[in-house]
Each structure stands twice: as structure tokens, then as C-alpha cells.
Amino acid sequence: MRVLITGGAGFIGCNTAVAMLERGDRVAILDNLSRAGTRENLDWVRSRGEFELIKADVRDAAAVAEAVARTAPDAVIHLAAIPAPNVLTDAETFRTNTMSTYNVLSAAATLGISDARSGCTPDDKLSRINALQQQGEVVVMVGDGINDAPVLAG
């Protein structure tokens, strides 16, 4: 499976990338590399397997669309975000996280994603993802994988 991970150089993102590589998936990481420690995280991921790095900012809609088009992923895992309060103002954090999520979903829509599912248990969600992937559908997860993150599929 081809996977694009936004925010893949962050803590959760790099651990997700390694887990996907260990499954045998082809991984592309989209990250702006602006946070401390991202280069070290990527070195660790690189020690576990090969991946494509796309240095771009998810706030840049054109860059996100180009990355999605070029990598043609089977799944997009959107983890890029301002992760903590007081990094930016509340309004800027909201604007950044909302716009970046919109850009990822908009780019993913070009792959034929048209159906949103949310509000189910993790087991239900996993079953739904597996069923969709077996049907050849594209799956996009938005969130941190712990909270009730929406799952979108085409």
C-alpha cells in the first residue's frame, strides 16, 4: 500500500511511518520540518526503511495537491498540525489547523474521496477501513489515531 503521512517528521508521524514501513508499505512523508527534532526523527525513520520526503507546508494548497497527485497514495494519514497551545495565538492555531486539514481533504478529494464516516468505535473503524481497502477504495484518516478521528473514503 502507498501511504502519504502529513506531519510525518513529528513524534506521532515518524512512529506511524516506521509502523507502515515495517508492514511493507511504501511511505511518503510531507512535512515542513519547522519543529525542533524533525531531522533526527527522519534519520530514525530512514534507519528503518526507505521513504520519500516531500518538504512542503500543508497550509500551501498547491503543494499538498501536487504531493497527493505525485504520490497517488492508497491512504493519507493527516497528522500535520500546530500540536500545542501557546505556539501561536488561539486564532492562528485554529486557522492553521483548519486550513491545513481542508487542504489535505481537498487534495484527497481529487482521488475520488466522497464519503465521510465518523462516530464509530476503533474496531468498527478498522473493519470499515479494511473493507474499503479490499474494494480498492482510498482511505484518509484525519486525527491522532487515538481520538475519534473521521475516516473518509471514496
Side-chain angles (χ1 to χ4, degrees):
M1 177 168 64
R2 293 179 315 271
V3 180
L4 174 63
I5 303 170
T6 67
F11 177 75
I12 295 172
C14 72
N15 281 280
T16 301
V18 166
M20 302 306 278
L21 288 168
E22 289 176 350
R23 283 180 11 149
D25 296 321
R26 290 178 40 210
V27 173
I29 292 174
L30 186 149
D31 203 296
N32 68 4
L33 307 178
S34 64
R35 292 185 48 105
T38 55
R39 302 253 181 221
E40 293 80 5
N41 288 348
L42 291 177
D43 288 343
W44 176 68
V45 175
R46 199 168 287 110
S47 76
R48 300 306 201 64
E50 291 184 25
F51 64 93
E52 178 182 357
L53 175 62
I54 302 163
K55 187 175 186 292
D57 194 311
V58 290
R59 293 173 292 186
D60 181 344
V64 173
E66 194 278 326
V68 169
R70 190 174 84 237
T71 60
D74 299 304
V76 177
I77 303 172
H78 176 46
L79 301 172
I82 304 301
N86 303 321
V87 173
L88 300 172
T89 66
D90 290 345
E92 188 61 24
T93 297
F94 177 78
R95 186 174 21 263
T96 297
N97 289 344
T98 303
M99 183 52 73
S100 64
T101 298
Y102 173 80
N103 289 342
V104 171
L105 294 177
S106 179
T110 65
L111 296 177
I113 296 166
S114 61
D115 184 23
R117 309 252 174 211
S118 183
C120 56
T121 68
D123 287 341
D124 292 340
K125 201 174 296 181
L126 185 57
S127 294
R128 175 80 174 132
I129 291 169
N130 288 334
L132 287 166
Q133 287 176 336
Q134 288 173 358
Q135 296 168 15
E137 299 291 346
V138 175
V139 177
V140 176
M141 291 181 57
V142 179
D144 61 14
I146 298 167
N147 298 311
D148 187 27
V151 174
L152 294 100

